[in-house]
């Protein structure tokens, strides 16, 4: 108790956390995507132009990976509206730099899969952010609906197996369905007509 009171009055010197050194390109991307980017067309257009001016032909820097990394980081650690702005930015970059939206979609799908395989209570918000980014990418027409529906069915089917008998019954159901303009007779309606 005395030690606790002494440390409250005279705390020990604290060492500062070492800061991570990043290249000027990464620092600018961090500023551009996490601070400057807003969900309006003017801001998205400006960010798109700035990203296109990056040294894409330089083999020493993998610009696509860096851009995708900071796009996801802006969604996770940024503001709530950042997901819409990032999706709009990915849609703008689809024509000039198709590598960026492709990497972003791939990373989002990989993170959703990882969260399903390794569920952890502290990762729920990150999972929701990834799902929201996927939805915003669809809204911005950066991905087709087939990817979204495949991911939804994957999430719904994950973690349990469909019994073979049920799978076979659902496959055979198509054999008995009426084709074309043939109407199917419901036996209960016949009984009602006879009475």
């Amino acid at each position: 108790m005395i030690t606790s009171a002494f440390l409250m009055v005279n705390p020990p010197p604290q060492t500062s956390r070492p800061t991570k050194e990043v290249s000027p390109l990464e620092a600018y991307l961090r500023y551009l995507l996490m601070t400057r980017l807003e969900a309006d067309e003017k801001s998205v257009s400006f960010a798109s132009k700035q990203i296109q001016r990056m040294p894409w032909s330089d083999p020493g820097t993998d610009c696509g990976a860096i851009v995708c990394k900071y796009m996801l980081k802006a969604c996770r650690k940024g503001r709530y509206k950042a997901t819409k702005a990032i999706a709009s930015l990915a849609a703008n970059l689809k024509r000039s730099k198709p590598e960026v939206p492709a990497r972003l979609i791939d990373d989002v799908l990989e993170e959703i899969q990882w969260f399903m395989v390794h569920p952890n209570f502290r990762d729920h918000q990150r999972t929701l952010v990834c799902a929201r980014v996927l939805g915003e990418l669809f809204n911005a027409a950066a991905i087709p609906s087939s990817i979204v529906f495949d991911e939804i069915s994957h999430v719904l089917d994950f973690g349990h197996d469909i019994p073979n008998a049920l799978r076979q019954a659902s496959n055979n159901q198509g054999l008995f369905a009426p084709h074309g303009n043939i109407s199917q007779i419901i036996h209960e309606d016949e009984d009602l007509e006879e009475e």
Side-chain angles (χ1 to χ4, degrees):
M1 190 159 155
I2 295 174
T3 307
S4 175
F6 176 75
L7 290 176
M8 291 291 279
V9 173
N10 189 10
Q14 295 184 357
T15 59
S16 63
R17 292 176 58 187
T19 58
K20 185 177 180 182
E21 292 293 323
V22 294
S23 66
L25 179 68
E26 288 187 43
Y28 180 68
L29 262 176
R30 183 181 179 104
Y31 162 74
L32 184 66
L33 296 176
M34 296 183 78
T35 306
R36 181 90 189 259
L37 186 64
E38 296 291 331
D40 62 343
E41 187 62 36
K42 183 178 176 184
S43 176
V44 170
S45 176
F46 175 76
S48 176
K49 288 175 185 173
Q50 292 298 313
I51 288 173
Q52 289 175 10
R53 291 180 184 165
M54 290 175 54
W56 291 91
S57 59
D58 184 17
T61 60
D62 189 8
C63 290
I66 295 170
V67 169
C68 185
K69 171 184 163 184
Y70 281 102
M71 284 175 124
L72 282 174
K73 194 174 272 195
C75 291
R76 285 186 296 230
K77 298 187 180 193
R79 302 168 313 276
Y80 177 75
K81 294 182 180 181
T83 54
K84 184 174 182 178
I86 293 294
S88 298
L89 179 62
N92 277 2
L93 292 172
K94 192 173 185 178
R95 279 197 187 138
S96 59
K97 303 292 179 195
E99 172 189 0
V100 174
R103 280 184 186 241
L104 182 65
I105 294 164
D106 191 41
D107 287 350
V108 166
L109 294 175
E110 281 181 12
E111 282 199 25
I112 291 173
Q113 176 65 31
W114 191 87
F115 293 139
M116 288 190 305
V117 172
H118 307 315
N120 193 348
F121 181 73
R122 67 184 183 98
D123 291 334
H124 288 315
Q125 289 295 324
R126 288 182 74 167
T127 309
L128 290 175
V129 165
C130 287
R132 177 146 193 248
V133 168
L134 193 66
E136 290 292 344
L137 285 169
F138 173 71
N139 284 341
I143 59 173
S145 62
S146 61
I147 292 177
V148 176
F149 289 127
D150 286 345
E151 190 63 23
I152 289 172
S153 67
H154 179 68
V155 168
L156 292 176
D157 292 341
F158 186 79
H160 65 278
D161 293 327
I162 299 172
N164 288 333
L166 183 59
R167 186 184 309 270
Q168 186 177 9
S170 66
N171 289 340
N172 291 338
Q173 185 179 10
L175 297 175
F176 302 113
H179 300 290
N181 288 332
I182 302 172
S183 62
Q184 190 174 13
I185 298 173
I186 300 174
H187 298 291
E188 295 151 356
D189 289 343
E190 289 178 346
D191 294 341
L192 289 172
E193 290 174 2
E194 290 173 3
E195 294 175 356

